[in-house]
Amino acid sequence: MGNNIVIFPNLKGRGNSTQIAEITATKYDNAEQQFIELLATENLDNQLEKESAKIWEFEQTLSTAINAAYKNANGDDQAHRFLQRILYRINRLKLFWYDDLRHYENERSLYISSCRNQIEAAWQGWELAQIDVSALQQLDVKQALIERASVDVDPTLSQDSRYIREEISEVGYRHLLAIGSFDGLVEGSRMTSILGGAANEVQCTLVRVFLEEYGNGRLSRKHSTFFAQMLTEFGMNTEPEGYFDLVPWEVLACDNHNFLTTERKRYFLRYSGALTYFEVAGPAAYRNYLAAAQRLGLSEAAMGYWELHIREDERHGRWMLDDVALPLAEKYPNDAWELVLGYDQEKLMGDRAAKAVVRSIREVEQAT
């Protein structure tokens, strides 16, 4: 029973790094499968004693991964991937996928919640350690947000941006769509968690953003429909999460962070700052993707989503800064720095994810 969770010290000196990596990957894959089985266990919280062996093995691997990812100076990509995949499998239960109702049997399981909390506590501490929070607390928040937005709305092209624009092949572009479909096919869904509450101008602006993401209630105009059309043009899978196994952990981390800040009302300012960055900076990234598609001579259907987002997100960015972030800074003067924290975290994590996506594209292109 313990073979799945040992650290394999006997391989040192006689096994190579590839063998160790393969064994570690198998260990994490097995633990993830165990967790999937636990999620599907009817009334899990009343079956913990019966499932104790499986739970013990899973928890040992979970603990090992947390140490490897967040307490090891060098980090461990396989541990990051395992933890973010487990966390996502928990978080996705907050959305309805129009599937078998029994899949939601354990959506309020205390045991599942404890697993989420254990991962989040270690992960969030690791993420926050990468930002000088004390410096943010000293800022003139409104000025800081205005200055950041003025730069991020039209940033200098990075090396990765130039690669997308000038070098990516059609194979690479399809891989980009496959990874992008993870978010593109469930456009704006997590935003639903922050829309309820007292009516005011900020809330109404957020609702306007949400409604445009959802095509004002018309499926034919919903942004995810345009993404699905791009996939269809290439004969690709249009099912949500159809390319889950291709998604780098850095992208999963962005999604899991978004789940956290939308679900926790205490993080409302962080979420609002993050969405401000996302909407301000989005068009610049989409222009890179659009330029790549145009260079490749692709059809309108194969790039329409980017054109739509460029138009709408330029407007959303102004709304988020002028009608959400700045008013919130005035309303919560003592906590307003959290808006900048959310903005800076979204940028840091988004940049990290973008690099991981380009790295994945390059690997696919080199393999063909």
Side-chain angles (χ1 to χ4, degrees), residues 157-169 171-173 288 292 295 354 357-366:
L157 286 180
S158 66
Q159 184 177 354
D160 284 346
S161 293
R162 290 190 182 279
Y163 169 75
I164 294 292
R165 281 174 168 263
E166 301 169 6
E167 299 181 43
I168 191 172
S169 67
V171 169
Y173 185 80
N288 294 333
R295 176 178 54 79
V357 170
V358 170
R359 187 165 58 247
S360 180
I361 291 171
R362 287 181 181 274
E363 290 172 357
V364 167
E365 290 185 326
Q366 290 170 2

PDB file of all heavy atoms in Angstrom, residues 157-169 171-173 288 292 295 354 357-366:
ATOM      1  N   LEU A 157       6.060  44.803 -27.157  1.00  0.00           N
ATOM      2  CA  LEU A 157       6.011  43.402 -27.548  1.00  0.00           C
ATOM      3  C   LEU A 157       7.160  42.622 -26.914  1.00  0.00           C
ATOM      4  O   LEU A 157       8.321  43.002 -27.035  1.00  0.00           O
ATOM      5  CB  LEU A 157       6.084  43.260 -29.067  1.00  0.00           C
ATOM      6  CG  LEU A 157       4.843  43.634 -29.868  1.00  0.00           C
ATOM      7  CD1 LEU A 157       5.103  43.440 -31.355  1.00  0.00           C
ATOM      8  CD2 LEU A 157       3.635  42.805 -29.441  1.00  0.00           C
ATOM      9  N   SER A 158       6.803  41.541 -26.242  1.00  0.00           N
ATOM     10  CA  SER A 158       7.819  40.663 -25.660  1.00  0.00           C
ATOM     11  C   SER A 158       8.322  39.686 -26.719  1.00  0.00           C
ATOM     12  O   SER A 158       7.763  39.586 -27.815  1.00  0.00           O
ATOM     13  CB  SER A 158       7.216  39.877 -24.494  1.00  0.00           C
ATOM     14  OG  SER A 158       6.214  38.969 -24.978  1.00  0.00           O
ATOM     15  N   GLN A 159       9.363  38.945 -26.365  1.00  0.00           N
ATOM     16  CA  GLN A 159       9.886  37.933 -27.285  1.00  0.00           C
ATOM     17  C   GLN A 159       8.829  36.881 -27.598  1.00  0.00           C
ATOM     18  O   GLN A 159       8.688  36.446 -28.750  1.00  0.00           O
ATOM     19  CB  GLN A 159      11.118  37.276 -26.674  1.00  0.00           C
ATOM     20  CG  GLN A 159      11.796  36.268 -27.583  1.00  0.00           C
ATOM     21  CD  GLN A 159      13.073  35.697 -26.965  1.00  0.00           C
ATOM     22  OE1 GLN A 159      13.526  36.125 -25.912  1.00  0.00           O
ATOM     23  NE2 GLN A 159      13.634  34.703 -27.635  1.00  0.00           N
ATOM     24  N   ASP A 160       8.071  36.481 -26.574  1.00  0.00           N
ATOM     25  CA  ASP A 160       7.016  35.481 -26.798  1.00  0.00           C
ATOM     26  C   ASP A 160       5.897  36.035 -27.668  1.00  0.00           C
ATOM     27  O   ASP A 160       5.322  35.317 -28.510  1.00  0.00           O
ATOM     28  CB  ASP A 160       6.456  35.004 -25.457  1.00  0.00           C
ATOM     29  CG  ASP A 160       7.388  34.033 -24.748  1.00  0.00           C
ATOM     30  OD1 ASP A 160       8.333  33.531 -25.392  1.00  0.00           O
ATOM     31  OD2 ASP A 160       7.170  33.785 -23.548  1.00  0.00           O
ATOM     32  N   SER A 161       5.579  37.316 -27.497  1.00  0.00           N
ATOM     33  CA  SER A 161       4.542  37.934 -28.336  1.00  0.00           C
ATOM     34  C   SER A 161       4.977  37.964 -29.790  1.00  0.00           C
ATOM     35  O   SER A 161       4.184  37.694 -30.703  1.00  0.00           O
ATOM     36  CB  SER A 161       4.244  39.355 -27.844  1.00  0.00           C
ATOM     37  OG  SER A 161       3.639  39.326 -26.564  1.00  0.00           O
ATOM     38  N   ARG A 162       6.231  38.284 -30.020  1.00  0.00           N
ATOM     39  CA  ARG A 162       6.745  38.300 -31.389  1.00  0.00           C
ATOM     40  C   ARG A 162       6.743  36.890 -31.982  1.00  0.00           C
ATOM     41  O   ARG A 162       6.463  36.712 -33.172  1.00  0.00           O
ATOM     42  CB  ARG A 162       8.165  38.876 -31.417  1.00  0.00           C
ATOM     43  CG  ARG A 162       8.203  40.370 -31.118  1.00  0.00           C
ATOM     44  CD  ARG A 162       9.588  40.955 -31.395  1.00  0.00           C
ATOM     45  NE  ARG A 162       9.619  42.367 -31.065  1.00  0.00           N
ATOM     46  CZ  ARG A 162       9.164  43.332 -31.853  1.00  0.00           C
ATOM     47  NH1 ARG A 162       8.636  43.013 -33.027  1.00  0.00           N
ATOM     48  NH2 ARG A 162       9.218  44.597 -31.476  1.00  0.00           N
ATOM     49  N   TYR A 163       7.023  35.911 -31.161  1.00  0.00           N
ATOM     50  CA  TYR A 163       6.991  34.529 -31.642  1.00  0.00           C
ATOM     51  C   TYR A 163       5.586  34.166 -32.120  1.00  0.00           C
ATOM     52  O   TYR A 163       5.411  33.580 -33.203  1.00  0.00           O
ATOM     53  CB  TYR A 163       7.442  33.584 -30.531  1.00  0.00           C
ATOM     54  CG  TYR A 163       7.183  32.135 -30.849  1.00  0.00           C
ATOM     55  CD1 TYR A 163       7.975  31.449 -31.769  1.00  0.00           C
ATOM     56  CD2 TYR A 163       6.130  31.451 -30.234  1.00  0.00           C
ATOM     57  CE1 TYR A 163       7.721  30.122 -32.077  1.00  0.00           C
ATOM     58  CE2 TYR A 163       5.873  30.124 -30.533  1.00  0.00           C
ATOM     59  CZ  TYR A 163       6.673  29.462 -31.453  1.00  0.00           C
ATOM     60  OH  TYR A 163       6.417  28.161 -31.760  1.00  0.00           O
ATOM     61  N   ILE A 164       4.573  34.524 -31.304  1.00  0.00           N
ATOM     62  CA  ILE A 164       3.187  34.244 -31.693  1.00  0.00           C
ATOM     63  C   ILE A 164       2.847  34.957 -32.993  1.00  0.00           C
ATOM     64  O   ILE A 164       2.282  34.368 -33.927  1.00  0.00           O
ATOM     65  CB  ILE A 164       2.209  34.670 -30.586  1.00  0.00           C
ATOM     66  CG1 ILE A 164       2.395  33.819 -29.330  1.00  0.00           C
ATOM     67  CG2 ILE A 164       0.765  34.599 -31.082  1.00  0.00           C
ATOM     68  CD1 ILE A 164       1.983  32.386 -29.471  1.00  0.00           C
ATOM     69  N   ARG A 165       3.193  36.215 -33.089  1.00  0.00           N
ATOM     70  CA  ARG A 165       2.856  37.010 -34.261  1.00  0.00           C
ATOM     71  C   ARG A 165       3.590  36.544 -35.521  1.00  0.00           C
ATOM     72  O   ARG A 165       2.999  36.476 -36.603  1.00  0.00           O
ATOM     73  CB  ARG A 165       3.213  38.481 -34.014  1.00  0.00           C
ATOM     74  CG  ARG A 165       2.228  39.247 -33.167  1.00  0.00           C
ATOM     75  CD  ARG A 165       2.753  40.651 -32.875  1.00  0.00           C
ATOM     76  NE  ARG A 165       1.716  41.498 -32.313  1.00  0.00           N
ATOM     77  CZ  ARG A 165       0.979  42.358 -33.000  1.00  0.00           C
ATOM     78  NH1 ARG A 165       1.186  42.499 -34.308  1.00  0.00           N
ATOM     79  NH2 ARG A 165       0.051  43.100 -32.416  1.00  0.00           N
ATOM     80  N   GLU A 166       4.877  36.230 -35.384  1.00  0.00           N
ATOM     81  CA  GLU A 166       5.737  36.103 -36.551  1.00  0.00           C
ATOM     82  C   GLU A 166       6.186  34.685 -36.886  1.00  0.00           C
ATOM     83  O   GLU A 166       6.638  34.425 -37.998  1.00  0.00           O
ATOM     84  CB  GLU A 166       6.983  36.979 -36.353  1.00  0.00           C
ATOM     85  CG  GLU A 166       6.641  38.459 -36.144  1.00  0.00           C
ATOM     86  CD  GLU A 166       7.827  39.288 -35.692  1.00  0.00           C
ATOM     87  OE1 GLU A 166       8.962  38.725 -35.657  1.00  0.00           O
ATOM     88  OE2 GLU A 166       7.650  40.484 -35.370  1.00  0.00           O
ATOM     89  N   GLU A 167       6.081  33.756 -35.940  1.00  0.00           N
ATOM     90  CA  GLU A 167       6.682  32.439 -36.170  1.00  0.00           C
ATOM     91  C   GLU A 167       5.752  31.255 -35.990  1.00  0.00           C
ATOM     92  O   GLU A 167       5.979  30.198 -36.585  1.00  0.00           O
ATOM     93  CB  GLU A 167       7.891  32.253 -35.251  1.00  0.00           C
ATOM     94  CG  GLU A 167       9.009  33.262 -35.455  1.00  0.00           C
ATOM     95  CD  GLU A 167      10.178  32.989 -34.523  1.00  0.00           C
ATOM     96  OE1 GLU A 167      10.541  31.792 -34.370  1.00  0.00           O
ATOM     97  OE2 GLU A 167      10.705  33.947 -33.943  1.00  0.00           O
ATOM     98  N   ILE A 168       4.743  31.381 -35.162  1.00  0.00           N
ATOM     99  CA  ILE A 168       3.930  30.219 -34.833  1.00  0.00           C
ATOM    100  C   ILE A 168       3.363  29.592 -36.111  1.00  0.00           C
ATOM    101  O   ILE A 168       2.930  30.287 -37.039  1.00  0.00           O
ATOM    102  CB  ILE A 168       2.791  30.611 -33.864  1.00  0.00           C
ATOM    103  CG1 ILE A 168       2.104  29.368 -33.289  1.00  0.00           C
ATOM    104  CG2 ILE A 168       1.777  31.498 -34.544  1.00  0.00           C
ATOM    105  CD1 ILE A 168       1.111  29.685 -32.185  1.00  0.00           C
ATOM    106  N   SER A 169       3.378  28.273 -36.163  1.00  0.00           N
ATOM    107  CA  SER A 169       2.858  27.529 -37.312  1.00  0.00           C
ATOM    108  C   SER A 169       1.386  27.217 -37.100  1.00  0.00           C
ATOM    109  O   SER A 169       0.826  27.465 -36.025  1.00  0.00           O
ATOM    110  CB  SER A 169       3.632  26.222 -37.474  1.00  0.00           C
ATOM    111  OG  SER A 169       3.370  25.363 -36.372  1.00  0.00           O
ATOM    112  N   VAL A 171       0.184  24.289 -36.801  1.00  0.00           N
ATOM    113  CA  VAL A 171       0.174  23.269 -35.742  1.00  0.00           C
ATOM    114  C   VAL A 171       0.207  23.944 -34.378  1.00  0.00           C
ATOM    115  O   VAL A 171      -0.536  23.579 -33.456  1.00  0.00           O
ATOM    116  CB  VAL A 171       1.377  22.310 -35.907  1.00  0.00           C
ATOM    117  CG1 VAL A 171       1.534  21.428 -34.669  1.00  0.00           C
ATOM    118  CG2 VAL A 171       1.199  21.445 -37.154  1.00  0.00           C
ATOM    119  N   GLY A 172       1.081  24.947 -34.252  1.00  0.00           N
ATOM    120  CA  GLY A 172       1.175  25.668 -32.990  1.00  0.00           C
ATOM    121  C   GLY A 172      -0.095  26.441 -32.684  1.00  0.00           C
ATOM    122  O   GLY A 172      -0.528  26.515 -31.520  1.00  0.00           O
ATOM    123  N   TYR A 173      -0.700  27.008 -33.716  1.00  0.00           N
ATOM    124  CA  TYR A 173      -1.939  27.767 -33.525  1.00  0.00           C
ATOM    125  C   TYR A 173      -3.061  26.848 -33.038  1.00  0.00           C
ATOM    126  O   TYR A 173      -3.828  27.211 -32.134  1.00  0.00           O
ATOM    127  CB  TYR A 173      -2.335  28.435 -34.840  1.00  0.00           C
ATOM    128  CG  TYR A 173      -3.536  29.349 -34.727  1.00  0.00           C
ATOM    129  CD1 TYR A 173      -3.410  30.644 -34.234  1.00  0.00           C
ATOM    130  CD2 TYR A 173      -4.799  28.915 -35.123  1.00  0.00           C
ATOM    131  CE1 TYR A 173      -4.513  31.483 -34.141  1.00  0.00           C
ATOM    132  CE2 TYR A 173      -5.909  29.747 -35.032  1.00  0.00           C
ATOM    133  CZ  TYR A 173      -5.760  31.033 -34.543  1.00  0.00           C
ATOM    134  OH  TYR A 173      -6.852  31.857 -34.449  1.00  0.00           O
ATOM    135  N   ASN A 288      -2.129  39.781 -30.759  1.00  0.00           N
ATOM    136  CA  ASN A 288      -1.058  38.860 -31.161  1.00  0.00           C
ATOM    137  C   ASN A 288      -1.623  37.619 -31.827  1.00  0.00           C
ATOM    138  O   ASN A 288      -1.128  37.171 -32.871  1.00  0.00           O
ATOM    139  CB  ASN A 288      -0.234  38.452 -29.927  1.00  0.00           C
ATOM    140  CG  ASN A 288       0.529  39.606 -29.314  1.00  0.00           C
ATOM    141  OD1 ASN A 288       0.874  40.573 -29.992  1.00  0.00           O
ATOM    142  ND2 ASN A 288       0.800  39.514 -28.022  1.00  0.00           N
ATOM    143  N   ALA A 292      -1.292  36.413 -35.808  1.00  0.00           N
ATOM    144  CA  ALA A 292      -0.804  35.085 -36.185  1.00  0.00           C
ATOM    145  C   ALA A 292      -1.771  34.417 -37.165  1.00  0.00           C
ATOM    146  O   ALA A 292      -1.356  33.851 -38.183  1.00  0.00           O
ATOM    147  CB  ALA A 292      -0.629  34.219 -34.945  1.00  0.00           C
ATOM    148  N   ARG A 295      -1.556  36.081 -40.553  1.00  0.00           N
ATOM    149  CA  ARG A 295      -0.318  35.700 -41.243  1.00  0.00           C
ATOM    150  C   ARG A 295      -0.439  34.302 -41.837  1.00  0.00           C
ATOM    151  O   ARG A 295       0.075  34.037 -42.935  1.00  0.00           O
ATOM    152  CB  ARG A 295       0.872  35.768 -40.277  1.00  0.00           C
ATOM    153  CG  ARG A 295       2.198  35.288 -40.876  1.00  0.00           C
ATOM    154  CD  ARG A 295       3.344  35.430 -39.900  1.00  0.00           C
ATOM    155  NE  ARG A 295       3.084  34.794 -38.630  1.00  0.00           N
ATOM    156  CZ  ARG A 295       3.196  33.486 -38.404  1.00  0.00           C
ATOM    157  NH1 ARG A 295       3.541  32.658 -39.391  1.00  0.00           N
ATOM    158  NH2 ARG A 295       2.958  32.981 -37.199  1.00  0.00           N
ATOM    159  N   ALA A 354       1.248  32.580 -19.645  1.00  0.00           N
ATOM    160  CA  ALA A 354       1.513  32.829 -21.067  1.00  0.00           C
ATOM    161  C   ALA A 354       2.840  32.217 -21.494  1.00  0.00           C
ATOM    162  O   ALA A 354       2.953  31.639 -22.583  1.00  0.00           O
ATOM    163  CB  ALA A 354       1.513  34.331 -21.335  1.00  0.00           C
ATOM    164  N   VAL A 357       2.372  28.503 -21.869  1.00  0.00           N
ATOM    165  CA  VAL A 357       1.643  28.153 -23.089  1.00  0.00           C
ATOM    166  C   VAL A 357       2.579  28.195 -24.295  1.00  0.00           C
ATOM    167  O   VAL A 357       2.583  27.275 -25.133  1.00  0.00           O
ATOM    168  CB  VAL A 357       0.442  29.096 -23.301  1.00  0.00           C
ATOM    169  CG1 VAL A 357      -0.173  28.887 -24.683  1.00  0.00           C
ATOM    170  CG2 VAL A 357      -0.610  28.863 -22.220  1.00  0.00           C
ATOM    171  N   VAL A 358       3.387  29.252 -24.394  1.00  0.00           N
ATOM    172  CA  VAL A 358       4.331  29.350 -25.513  1.00  0.00           C
ATOM    173  C   VAL A 358       5.343  28.211 -25.454  1.00  0.00           C
ATOM    174  O   VAL A 358       5.684  27.617 -26.487  1.00  0.00           O
ATOM    175  CB  VAL A 358       5.040  30.719 -25.505  1.00  0.00           C
ATOM    176  CG1 VAL A 358       6.192  30.738 -26.512  1.00  0.00           C
ATOM    177  CG2 VAL A 358       4.051  31.831 -25.836  1.00  0.00           C
ATOM    178  N   ARG A 359       5.791  27.883 -24.273  1.00  0.00           N
ATOM    179  CA  ARG A 359       6.731  26.762 -24.122  1.00  0.00           C
ATOM    180  C   ARG A 359       6.097  25.460 -24.611  1.00  0.00           C
ATOM    181  O   ARG A 359       6.735  24.660 -25.307  1.00  0.00           O
ATOM    182  CB  ARG A 359       7.147  26.643 -22.653  1.00  0.00           C
ATOM    183  CG  ARG A 359       8.241  25.628 -22.386  1.00  0.00           C
ATOM    184  CD  ARG A 359       8.847  25.830 -21.006  1.00  0.00           C
ATOM    185  NE  ARG A 359       7.867  25.736 -19.929  1.00  0.00           N
ATOM    186  CZ  ARG A 359       7.504  26.761 -19.153  1.00  0.00           C
ATOM    187  NH1 ARG A 359       8.020  27.963 -19.337  1.00  0.00           N
ATOM    188  NH2 ARG A 359       6.618  26.592 -18.192  1.00  0.00           N
ATOM    189  N   SER A 360       4.831  25.252 -24.282  1.00  0.00           N
ATOM    190  CA  SER A 360       4.120  24.059 -24.714  1.00  0.00           C
ATOM    191  C   SER A 360       3.954  24.047 -26.238  1.00  0.00           C
ATOM    192  O   SER A 360       4.106  23.004 -26.885  1.00  0.00           O
ATOM    193  CB  SER A 360       2.747  24.000 -24.032  1.00  0.00           C
ATOM    194  OG  SER A 360       2.012  22.861 -24.414  1.00  0.00           O
ATOM    195  N   ILE A 361       3.653  25.212 -26.806  1.00  0.00           N
ATOM    196  CA  ILE A 361       3.518  25.302 -28.275  1.00  0.00           C
ATOM    197  C   ILE A 361       4.831  24.964 -28.958  1.00  0.00           C
ATOM    198  O   ILE A 361       4.867  24.215 -29.935  1.00  0.00           O
ATOM    199  CB  ILE A 361       3.054  26.716 -28.667  1.00  0.00           C
ATOM    200  CG1 ILE A 361       1.614  26.957 -28.204  1.00  0.00           C
ATOM    201  CG2 ILE A 361       3.163  26.929 -30.178  1.00  0.00           C
ATOM    202  CD1 ILE A 361       1.140  28.394 -28.349  1.00  0.00           C
ATOM    203  N   ARG A 362       5.908  25.496 -28.455  1.00  0.00           N
ATOM    204  CA  ARG A 362       7.234  25.234 -29.059  1.00  0.00           C
ATOM    205  C   ARG A 362       7.558  23.743 -29.021  1.00  0.00           C
ATOM    206  O   ARG A 362       8.105  23.189 -29.975  1.00  0.00           O
ATOM    207  CB  ARG A 362       8.318  26.030 -28.319  1.00  0.00           C
ATOM    208  CG  ARG A 362       8.312  27.533 -28.601  1.00  0.00           C
ATOM    209  CD  ARG A 362       9.447  28.202 -27.839  1.00  0.00           C
ATOM    210  NE  ARG A 362       9.510  29.633 -28.036  1.00  0.00           N
ATOM    211  CZ  ARG A 362      10.150  30.238 -29.037  1.00  0.00           C
ATOM    212  NH1 ARG A 362      10.780  29.528 -29.941  1.00  0.00           N
ATOM    213  NH2 ARG A 362      10.173  31.560 -29.118  1.00  0.00           N
ATOM    214  N   GLU A 363       7.215  23.086 -27.917  1.00  0.00           N
ATOM    215  CA  GLU A 363       7.496  21.655 -27.794  1.00  0.00           C
ATOM    216  C   GLU A 363       6.706  20.864 -28.820  1.00  0.00           C
ATOM    217  O   GLU A 363       7.226  19.922 -29.425  1.00  0.00           O
ATOM    218  CB  GLU A 363       7.142  21.192 -26.369  1.00  0.00           C
ATOM    219  CG  GLU A 363       8.092  21.722 -25.306  1.00  0.00           C
ATOM    220  CD  GLU A 363       7.606  21.407 -23.882  1.00  0.00           C
ATOM    221  OE1 GLU A 363       6.507  20.840 -23.752  1.00  0.00           O
ATOM    222  OE2 GLU A 363       8.339  21.754 -22.933  1.00  0.00           O
ATOM    223  N   VAL A 364       5.442  21.245 -29.021  1.00  0.00           N
ATOM    224  CA  VAL A 364       4.612  20.555 -30.012  1.00  0.00           C
ATOM    225  C   VAL A 364       5.163  20.780 -31.407  1.00  0.00           C
ATOM    226  O   VAL A 364       5.236  19.843 -32.240  1.00  0.00           O
ATOM    227  CB  VAL A 364       3.155  21.032 -29.910  1.00  0.00           C
ATOM    228  CG1 VAL A 364       2.343  20.588 -31.117  1.00  0.00           C
ATOM    229  CG2 VAL A 364       2.507  20.523 -28.631  1.00  0.00           C
ATOM    230  N   GLU A 365       5.554  21.991 -31.713  1.00  0.00           N
ATOM    231  CA  GLU A 365       6.062  22.287 -33.041  1.00  0.00           C
ATOM    232  C   GLU A 365       7.376  21.564 -33.318  1.00  0.00           C
ATOM    233  O   GLU A 365       7.613  21.077 -34.418  1.00  0.00           O
ATOM    234  CB  GLU A 365       6.261  23.801 -33.197  1.00  0.00           C
ATOM    235  CG  GLU A 365       4.946  24.570 -33.262  1.00  0.00           C
ATOM    236  CD  GLU A 365       5.136  26.038 -33.524  1.00  0.00           C
ATOM    237  OE1 GLU A 365       6.149  26.608 -33.037  1.00  0.00           O
ATOM    238  OE2 GLU A 365       4.297  26.637 -34.213  1.00  0.00           O
ATOM    239  N   GLN A 366       8.208  21.478 -32.307  1.00  0.00           N
ATOM    240  CA  GLN A 366       9.496  20.791 -32.471  1.00  0.00           C
ATOM    241  C   GLN A 366       9.315  19.281 -32.672  1.00  0.00           C
ATOM    242  O   GLN A 366      10.153  18.620 -33.290  1.00  0.00           O
ATOM    243  CB  GLN A 366      10.393  21.063 -31.265  1.00  0.00           C
ATOM    244  CG  GLN A 366      10.890  22.497 -31.202  1.00  0.00           C
ATOM    245  CD  GLN A 366      11.570  22.830 -29.888  1.00  0.00           C
ATOM    246  OE1 GLN A 366      11.707  21.971 -28.999  1.00  0.00           O
ATOM    247  NE2 GLN A 366      11.983  24.092 -29.719  1.00  0.00           N
TER     248      GLN A 366
END
